[in-house]
Amino acid sequence: MYQNKPPFGKILLLSENDTILEEYSIGAGRLSITPKEHFFLINFWLRAEYQVELPDGENTIVWGPTLEILTKTPENADRLIIKVPPWEKIEKEWDINYSTGYYNGWHNQLQEAELDIEKREDNIFYVKFCIVPNEDKRQAKVRGECEIQLSEELIRYW
């Protein structure tokens, strides 16, 4: 059984010309790679967390932008570069082998989602991601990277 190690990295909200609008530290997340009969199912989710001071002077942790990508790949390798196909091409498999979500005040599907997953050591992976929310246009895209421990089981966030 793996020890639970929190992910380490950043989530960046970007403008159309890639200017950083907001930057968040990642506070929680999960990566799982589950073998199926003819493919591997990948589930990746991250949530930003940050500290704020309440009116009474106490500090508390609040949740920031959150994203989840469920996708499949034909193989498992030390490096995977995956672009989630458009919904129109995979609608029969939606919510079974594919799903995307982004939350930053309200829920969105993703117009585009790309993952670059690289194995660093036994169960530690380095993941770069770039997503484009479908409706939330306060940011043109969300990009980031993190070091994350592989989970033993697929547990979907949404």
Side-chain angles (χ1 to χ4, degrees):
M1 178 175 242
Y2 299 144
Q3 284 187 312
N4 189 10
K5 178 183 174 188
F8 174 77
K10 298 281 184 193
I11 296 175
L12 306 173
L13 308 187
L14 304 173
S15 68
E16 285 285 337
N17 63 2
D18 286 343
T19 300
I20 297 173
L21 302 172
E22 294 179 61
E23 180 177 322
Y24 295 92
S25 292
I26 295 167
R30 177 185 301 276
L31 171 67
S32 62
I33 303 173
T34 307
K36 297 294 186 177
E37 190 172 335
H38 300 291
F39 58 91
F40 291 86
L41 196 57
I42 295 174
N43 182 245
F44 175 68
W45 74 264
L46 291 177
R47 179 179 68 222
E49 294 179 355
Y50 56 98
Q51 185 172 296
V52 296
E53 185 175 332
L54 299 174
D56 64 4
E58 291 291 317
N59 289 326
T60 189
I61 301 293
V62 296
W63 295 356
T66 303
L67 65 100
E68 180 176 37
I69 299 170
L70 176 71
T71 190
K72 68 181 192 179
T73 183
E75 62 184 4
N76 189 7
D78 286 344
R79 182 156 189 219
L80 300 167
I81 299 174
I82 302 165
K83 184 172 181 167
V84 178
W87 184 85
E88 298 78 21
K89 291 186 177 182
I90 55 170
E91 64 183 294
K92 291 180 181 165
E93 293 186 74
W94 192 256
D95 215 27
I96 300 167
N97 295 322
Y98 295 97
S99 183
T100 63
Y102 174 69
Y103 180 83
N104 187 16
W106 64 81
H107 288 277
N108 282 253
Q109 297 298 320
L110 300 179
Q111 183 177 322
E112 296 177 24
E114 294 183 31
L115 295 174
D116 182 345
I117 303 169
E118 184 176 2
K119 186 175 187 175
R120 289 286 167 95
E121 52 188 80
D122 185 37
N123 64 340
I124 304 296
F125 287 76
Y126 188 74
V127 180
K128 293 181 186 177
F129 56 91
C130 183
I131 64 167
V132 176
N134 211 20
E135 298 170 6
D136 187 352
K137 299 304 178 191
R138 293 175 293 169
Q139 63 278 306
K141 61 185 142 188
V142 179
R143 184 176 292 151
E145 52 192 50
C146 71
E147 184 175 276
I148 192 166
Q149 184 172 334
L150 187 66
S151 174
E152 293 180 308
E153 57 187 323
L154 190 156
I155 300 174
R156 294 186 52 191
Y157 188 76
W158 285 303

